[in-house]
Amino acid sequence: MTDLLTRTIKFDATRKAGLDRLDSFVPFAATTYRTERNFDYGPANRSNVSALSPWVRHRLLTEQEICARVMQDFALSSTEKFIQEVFWRTYWKGWLEMRPSVWSVYETVRMKALKRTQTNGNMRSGYNAAIEGNTGIDCFDAWAKELVETGYLHNHARMWFASIWIFTLRLDWTLGADFFLRHLMDADAASNTLSWRWVGGLQTKGKHYLARASNIHKFTDGRFNPQGLNEKAGPLEDDFAFDQPVPPKPHTPLPLGKKAMLLITEDDCTFEQLSFGTNEICSIATWNLSDGRSPLKIGNAASDFTRGALTNAANRACEKFGGNTTSFTGNNAIENMATEAYDAGAECVMAPFTAQGWARAPMSQLAAKCTERGIVFCEIPRDWDTQAWSHATKGFFPFKKQIPQLMLNAGFDIKGKR
Ligand SMILES: Cc1cc2nc3c(=O)[nH]c(=O)nc-3n(C[C@H](O)[C@H](O)[C@H](O)COP(=O)(O)OP(=O)(O)OC[C@H]3O[C@@H](n4cnc5c(N)ncnc54)[C@H](O)[C@@H]3O)c2cc1C
């Protein structure tokens, strides 16, 4: 195992820190990643994975930039495993985008489950033991604490953790998904909800993921030796029928030659690559919607990263367009933002597109409020999403076949150097 990539990572919520991590990871994106990515060596050694997810989830770095940088050094055939993982994020987002009810049903079921933890003593004590890391299952307790303290878990640990939560501890999966959303720096509606559904056997009906003690022992390099795992459970069942995929609504075209407010949310903190057409930015706002992730309190690591990402985007926007940024959060944000736009003389509010999840409904409410005030509201999509999401109609396998073409469409040389 290589020692050359930084073992411990400082998760600075800046675009520069994300780009630096990407640069240092690229030499390891081929062989090291392919052969070692499934090992969770613990928080003191993240040298075998990219750990880019907090940056890419906030789009302080984009999926396109990650693929472009890797393709500078490698052929797609050498780094296929890593590139496919990056495309999992794109796939999940596209899949949820076309089935918005999966998110709204999750929110409803979670609320009911949270209420049951208040009224049912057994459920409450099981839930509290799990989130406090007091179950007596060595690896699970360590990951619960690691998540709260650091805001990051390795992918394999997330799979084992979710599986033990569902099948050994017999806790409601939506509560586990909520625990992740509250604490992960990369908390993402699509990747999180759909991965929990996948582990439980709800996403690919009847196919679930069972954590096995021997597998955990091996892939944690002997750090854990869990006892008492339920390795025989059957998949979860529900009677939820997915909607037929609904193609996303067309975007409002950009107006021409207007004064505009640029609005930045946690969903996309790199405005530099977006085209604002002939419009002139006269005002800059950030909107922190992270409280919407859960009815419960968001953990420190997660909320610090999001606040930092928005501050970093705001600083860069001020440097580019001049002026100051106003930060919005909380209950009156929508009213206050529309007023701010109006007072600044903005005829239009432009924001990078916000995908399905907790930020979608507030964005739609803001759009309605702007229209009421005679201000045009536009969300700017990224080509990467528009092109890829339309293929997320079925499972990942057919989607995966589109990756070479999607990479070519993005202008990459996929035959590459080595
Ligand atoms: C139960 C569960 C919950 C999850 N919740 C989230 C979440 O809320 N937010 C989130 O970003 N990811 C989530 N994931 C996906 C995945 O675990 C993380 O994206 C990954 O561990 C991030 O670490 P990394 O950047 O070191 O990944 P690497 O292994 O270095 O992968 C590179 C990039 O590919 C993407 N990626 C890798 N694996 C996946 C995957 N399985 N699904 C989607 N994208 C992937 C990420 O953008 C990642 O940064 C979840 C997975 C599971 C099993």
Side-chain angles (χ1 to χ4, degrees):
M1 135 80 241
T2 178
D3 263 346
L4 295 175
L5 183 63
T6 322
R7 285 172 164 244
T8 50
I9 298 157
K10 207 163 170 288
F11 286 101
D12 276 342
T14 65
R15 180 161 158 74
K16 180 173 181 316
L19 287 165
D20 287 349
R21 174 68 189 174
L22 173 61
D23 263 343
S24 55
F25 172 72
V26 166
F28 305 91
T31 312
T32 306
Y33 188 78
R34 189 178 65 247
T35 53
E36 293 187 31
R37 73 191 174 94
N38 280 328
F39 284 89
D40 177 3
Y41 298 116
N45 184 359
R46 294 290 176 222
S47 58
N48 58 326
V49 287
S50 74
L52 287 170
S53 56
W55 289 284
V56 65
R57 184 271 169 264
H58 292 81
R59 282 202 162 152
L60 277 168
L61 267 186
T62 65
E63 293 97 311
Q64 179 156 356
E65 283 177 305
I66 295 176
C67 293
R69 179 64 192 84
V70 171
M71 287 297 102
Q72 274 175 19
D73 288 17
F74 292 107
L76 178 57
S77 53
S78 322
T79 51
E80 199 171 26
K81 203 63 232 166
F82 179 70
I83 297 291
Q84 275 175 13
E85 293 304 319
V86 175
F87 268 97
W88 264 106
R89 166 181 302 280
T90 307
Y91 166 74
W92 283 139
K93 279 177 87 169
W95 195 96
L96 191 66
E97 198 57 31
M98 285 191 272
R99 295 153 183 96
S101 61
V102 174
W103 172 255
S104 51
V105 169
Y106 159 74
E107 283 187 308
T108 309
V109 176
R110 173 184 62 180
M111 188 51 90
K112 285 185 188 155
L114 281 170
K115 283 193 179 136
R116 282 204 304 281
T117 61
Q118 284 158 11
T119 52
N120 177 325
N122 276 344
M123 197 170 155
R124 184 168 54 247
S125 58
Y127 171 69
N128 284 341
I131 62 173
E132 285 159 13
N134 280 326
T135 64
I137 302 171
D138 60 1
C139 53
F140 185 94
D141 292 347
W143 291 321
K145 288 173 188 157
E146 182 185 336
L147 173 62
V148 172
E149 276 162 29
T150 70
Y152 175 89
L153 283 183
H154 184 283
N155 179 58
H156 221 164
R158 297 182 200 207
M159 290 162 62
W160 293 316
F161 185 95
S163 179
I164 295 169
W165 180 287
I166 295 170
F167 298 114
T168 297
L169 302 174
R170 289 286 174 197
L171 292 165
D172 190 296
W173 74 268
T174 63
L175 295 179
D178 180 72
F179 180 51
F180 270 24
L181 281 190
R182 287 195 288 126
H183 291 288
L184 283 171
M185 286 181 289
D186 62 31
D188 179 85
S191 289
N192 193 59
T193 314
L194 303 179
S195 296
W196 275 85
R197 289 179 56 84
W198 176 83
V199 170
L202 298 170
Q203 187 67 13
T204 312
K205 298 259 181 210
K207 280 199 183 162
H208 60 319
Y209 176 78
L210 280 179
R212 297 190 192 281
S214 57
N215 183 264
I216 293 173
H217 185 72
K218 174 177 169 191
F219 284 102
T220 57
D221 218 16
R223 290 187 300 129
F224 299 114
N225 201 3
Q227 305 294 311
L229 301 192
N230 182 353
E231 301 191 9
K232 295 209 168 106
L236 297 180
E237 286 176 21
D238 67 5
D239 49 11
F240 180 69
F242 296 138
D243 297 336
Q244 280 304 311
V246 187
K249 285 194 199 127
H251 296 280
T252 308
L254 284 177
L256 294 173
K258 303 280 183 206
K259 288 181 117 192
M261 172 192 259
L262 169 62
L263 171 62
I264 301 165
T265 70
E266 68 179 291
D267 265 17
D268 197 323
C269 293
T270 300
F271 57 86
E272 284 90 341
Q273 302 133 351
L274 299 175
S275 164
F276 303 117
T278 53
N279 301 295
E280 180 205 335
I281 307 291
C282 66
S283 158
I284 302 160
T286 62
W287 190 7
N288 190 337
L289 286 150
S290 56
D291 279 352
R293 286 176 202 173
S294 168
L296 303 179
K297 193 175 173 307
I298 309 304
N300 291 340
S303 73
D304 287 353
F305 195 94
T306 297
R307 204 173 320 109
L310 288 170
T311 303
N312 181 252
N315 291 342
R316 296 191 335 265
C318 287
E319 233 168 74
K320 184 168 163 110
F321 301 111
N324 297 317
T325 313
T326 317
S327 311
F328 294 92
T329 191
N331 290 341
N332 298 325
I334 292 175
E335 186 64 44
N336 294 344
M337 234 177 312
T339 304
E340 168 92 8
Y342 187 84
D343 291 349
E347 301 160 280
C348 160
V349 171
M350 298 192 292
F353 181 71
T354 295
Q356 282 301 332
W358 56 87
R360 191 57 256 157
M363 284 298 269
S364 301
Q365 287 156 17
L366 176 64
K369 182 59 73 186
C370 287
T371 309
E372 228 175 85
R373 298 276 184 104
I375 299 169
V376 179
F377 185 87
C378 305
E379 288 183 73
I380 307 175
R382 286 184 182 269
D383 279 353
W384 183 266
D385 298 336
T386 312
Q387 299 229 2
W389 288 358
S390 62
H391 297 290
T393 48
K394 298 196 178 104
F396 186 71
F397 191 69
F399 178 85
K400 195 168 79 172
K401 290 190 181 154
Q402 302 295 328
I403 292 175
Q405 189 57 50
L406 289 167
M407 301 276 280
L408 287 171
N409 295 352
F412 303 145
D413 169 15
I414 61 172
K415 297 227 168 84
K417 322 313 173 267
R418 47 196 163 119

